[in-house]
Amino acid sequence: MDAHHHLHDDPERCRDILAQLNDYLDGELAESLCRELEQHLAECPDCRTVYDTLSRTIHIYRALRDVPAELPQGVEERLIYRIKVSLNDGHLQHSDRHASTSD
């Protein structure tokens, strides 16, 4: 964040605030620091944008973490096939190396 983008002249303060956002959103920030952070967010549109974006991202993640992802038809089968082929290729390569070193 460059100073010329801010309504105030303390970009270092913004860095300090942004470093505390995760603790704030997790409810782990001391009450006095919460008030200070909230005051800064009310006065700094750049930090408010970062806060809003992070907050929405966390909300979406929490809402979706228990919902199983649905893969397009056939993707799971192709993925399992590729994993098996890769494992077999690795096993064959390992066996080939082992056989050539034991001669």
Side-chain angles (χ1 to χ4, degrees), residues 32-85:
S32 61
L33 293 175
C34 287
R35 285 191 299 272
E36 191 177 323
L37 186 141
E38 290 164 353
Q39 180 64 39
H40 181 84
L41 292 176
E43 298 170 354
C44 181
D46 291 337
C47 288
R48 184 63 194 204
T49 298
V50 173
Y51 166 79
D52 288 343
T53 302
L54 180 60
S55 179
R56 281 192 301 259
T57 302
I58 290 170
H59 176 76
I60 290 168
Y61 168 76
R62 288 179 178 157
L64 296 177
R65 71 178 166 197
D66 296 326
V67 176
E70 292 198 25
L71 298 173
Q73 186 175 358
V75 170
E76 184 176 359
E77 293 81 12
R78 289 193 308 267
L79 181 58
I80 291 170
Y81 172 77
R82 293 283 185 199
I83 291 170
K84 287 179 180 178
V85 167

Side-chain angles (χ1 to χ4, degrees), residues 3-23:
H4 67 279
H5 288 130
H6 286 78
L7 300 177
H8 53 83
D9 294 325
D10 194 2
E12 186 63 35
R13 182 70 188 125
C14 291
R15 281 190 275 282
D16 292 342
I17 290 294
L18 295 177
Q20 297 173 352
L21 278 183
N22 283 330
D23 288 342

